[in-house]
């Protein structure tokens, strides 16, 4: 027996499977447990600064630290600092969403809001948006029910954000849109959930393109993300 996750875009169709054969059978609480409990670690290039600590210890250390950290399976990872371009794009996204969503049911949070996934990753996305009442834990420091997550890509993090990190984010039942914004060129990747285990990918490569985010009922111009940012190339 296999649990199947499908990620689909216009050019390819991929599947990832998690075995529940007799040799590896255990009692899964849900499909996300099967898919994410054993096969998708935090990217190997990220070096843990603390290993085999409890989540409570992570929360205490993270709160006292001046920089942000991720946590996964007893390991604590320092998050890389961002460039000017990274910081500016993240600010542009959060500000644009805050203006558009003012007084509406969905509200954005900046990179100070931690997000925890059912697969066990604690991290700080550049922008997250929840709708209606936020589900919070850890003394209101951690959000559990984002409908939209935005990550700004840097050379050191783009593989992780597209790969292992997205796999963890997909375990969040409420998540409907995942947006990746390149910080060095005009490239926006939008993953939209179209089924429990199926996502559609659309790429935007021109500043005049518009991005429709159905989860929050907004259509954004790609140009607004890059306001004030000098790019290596601009198609």
């Amino acid at each position: 027996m296999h649990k199947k996750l499908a990620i689909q875009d216009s050019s390819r169709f991929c599947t990832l499977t998690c075995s529940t054969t007799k040799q590896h059978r255990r009692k899964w609480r849900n499909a996300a447990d099967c898919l994410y409990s054993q096969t998708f670690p935090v990217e190997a290039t990220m070096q843990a600064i603390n290993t085999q600590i409890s989540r409570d210890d992570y929360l205490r250390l993270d709160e006292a630290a001046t920089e942000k950290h991720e946590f996964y399976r007893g390991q604590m990872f320092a998050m890389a600092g961002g460039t000017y371009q990274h910081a500016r794009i993240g600010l542009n996204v959060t500000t644009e969403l805050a203006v558009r969503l003012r007084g509406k049911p969905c509200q954005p949070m900046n990179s100070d809001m931690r997000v925890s996934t059912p697969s066990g990753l604690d991290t700080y996305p550049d922008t997250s948006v929840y709708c209606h009442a936020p589900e919070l834990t850890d003394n209101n420091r951690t959000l559990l029910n984002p409908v939209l997550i935005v990550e700004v890509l840097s050379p050191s993090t783009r593989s992780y954000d597209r790969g292992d990190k997205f796999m963890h984010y997909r375990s969040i039942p409420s998540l409907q849109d995942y947006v990746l914004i390149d910080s060095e060129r005009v490239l926006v990747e939008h993953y939209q959930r179209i089924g429990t285990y199926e996502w559609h990918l659309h790429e935007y490569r021109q500043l005049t393109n518009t991005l429709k985010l159905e989860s929050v009922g907004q259509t954004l111009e790609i140009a607004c993300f890059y306001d004030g940012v000098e790019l290596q190339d601009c198609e």
Side-chain angles (χ1 to χ4, degrees):
M1 177 182 175
H2 293 81
K3 304 290 185 183
K4 184 175 290 187
L5 169 67
I7 306 172
Q8 184 176 11
D9 64 31
S10 59
S11 60
R12 62 188 180 277
F13 185 83
C14 308
T15 60
L16 299 169
T17 60
C18 176
S19 174
T20 53
T21 58
K22 184 176 181 180
Q23 293 89 340
H24 303 93
R25 185 167 296 155
R26 57 172 291 183
K27 198 169 185 180
W28 304 106
R29 287 178 299 173
N30 52 50
D33 285 338
C34 170
L35 286 163
Y36 300 98
S37 65
Q38 59 184 355
T39 56
F40 304 137
V42 173
E43 174 135 322
T45 56
M46 297 178 64
Q47 298 298 316
I49 60 174
N50 279 296
T51 59
Q52 301 308 313
I53 65 172
S54 69
R55 187 173 183 275
D56 286 341
D57 286 338
Y58 155 72
L59 294 174
R60 177 177 53 81
L61 292 169
D62 190 50
E63 183 175 351
T66 56
E67 67 277 355
K68 299 182 178 69
H69 298 84
E70 292 191 340
F71 178 79
Y72 181 68
R73 289 196 169 188
Q75 294 185 309
M76 184 172 173
F77 304 85
M79 298 184 70
T83 62
Y84 168 84
Q85 291 94 325
H86 187 126
R88 180 61 190 248
I89 292 171
L91 177 62
N92 288 343
V93 173
T94 305
T95 301
E96 184 73 13
L97 287 170
V99 170
R100 288 171 171 265
L101 296 174
R102 181 172 298 165
K104 296 184 179 180
C106 300
Q107 291 298 307
M109 306 300 293
N110 65 16
S111 59
D112 289 330
M113 175 56 67
R114 183 191 299 117
V115 167
S116 184
T117 74
S119 59
L121 177 68
D122 287 282
T123 189
Y124 291 87
D126 290 304
T127 302
S128 58
V129 179
Y130 67 87
C131 291
H132 306 292
E135 295 180 18
L136 299 168
T137 187
D138 305 324
N139 294 320
N140 292 338
R141 295 179 182 272
T142 305
L143 179 68
L144 301 178
N145 64 329
V147 299
L148 164 65
I149 287 177
V150 180
E151 293 282 12
V152 181
L153 300 179
S154 297
S156 62
T157 63
R158 58 167 56 101
S159 295
Y160 175 46
D161 290 338
R162 286 174 174 144
D164 291 340
K165 199 171 194 179
F166 182 29
M167 292 175 187
H168 285 289
Y169 283 154
R170 290 200 299 269
S171 72
I172 302 174
S174 61
L175 188 65
Q176 298 299 313
D177 291 295
Y178 182 50
V179 178
L180 300 173
I181 306 174
D182 199 293
S183 63
E184 297 187 322
R185 56 178 175 156
V186 177
L187 175 60
V188 176
E189 301 164 52
H190 175 209
Y191 293 88
Q192 181 180 23
R193 191 190 293 269
I194 58 175
T196 304
Y197 306 118
E198 191 171 356
W199 294 73
H200 179 265
L201 167 64
H202 194 112
E203 294 183 353
Y204 302 87
R205 296 178 178 269
Q206 296 183 353
L207 293 174
T208 55
N209 291 155
T210 56
L211 168 64
K212 185 176 182 179
L213 298 171
E214 293 187 0
S215 61
V216 297
Q218 296 294 318
T219 299
L220 308 179
E221 294 181 357
I222 299 302
C224 76
F225 302 152
Y226 294 99
D227 182 46
V229 178
E230 291 187 8
L231 303 170
Q232 291 183 353
D233 61 81
C234 183
E235 297 181 23

